[in-house]
Amino acid sequence: MRTVVDLTRCEGYAQCVFLAPEMFELHGEEGLLYATSVPEDQEERVRQAAAACPVQAILLGEEVSTGVR
């Protein structure tokens, strides 16, 4: 699975960091670092993080484009 975060939508609520800390990390107060390729053992956590995002900034899929809308 692939992950892309629309950083123009992300408002730094950090729900993803709490739910999938191995995949998402806050850098400074508002910067978000994340892994684009999700290992199988982290897929459920990343799905939960995407569902919990208040602004729905996390996109998931096998062929997520890097050209986020």
Side-chain angles (χ1 to χ4, degrees), residues 24-68:
F24 301 94
E25 176 185 345
L26 281 180
H27 182 68
E29 289 185 27
E30 294 183 10
L32 180 70
L33 301 175
Y34 65 97
T36 58
S37 183
V38 181
E40 282 186 38
D41 67 331
Q42 292 295 311
E43 287 182 3
E44 184 57 31
R45 287 179 172 268
V46 171
R47 282 190 182 94
Q48 291 172 355
C53 180
V55 295
Q56 299 299 293
I58 302 171
L59 306 174
L60 306 176
E62 288 302 319
E63 297 182 24
V64 171
S65 168
T66 55
V68 178

Side-chain angles (χ1 to χ4, degrees), residues 3-18:
T3 304
V4 171
V5 177
D6 183 343
L7 296 174
T8 61
R9 292 179 98 176
C10 178
E11 294 186 13
Y13 290 105
Q15 295 302 306
C16 56
V17 176
F18 295 116

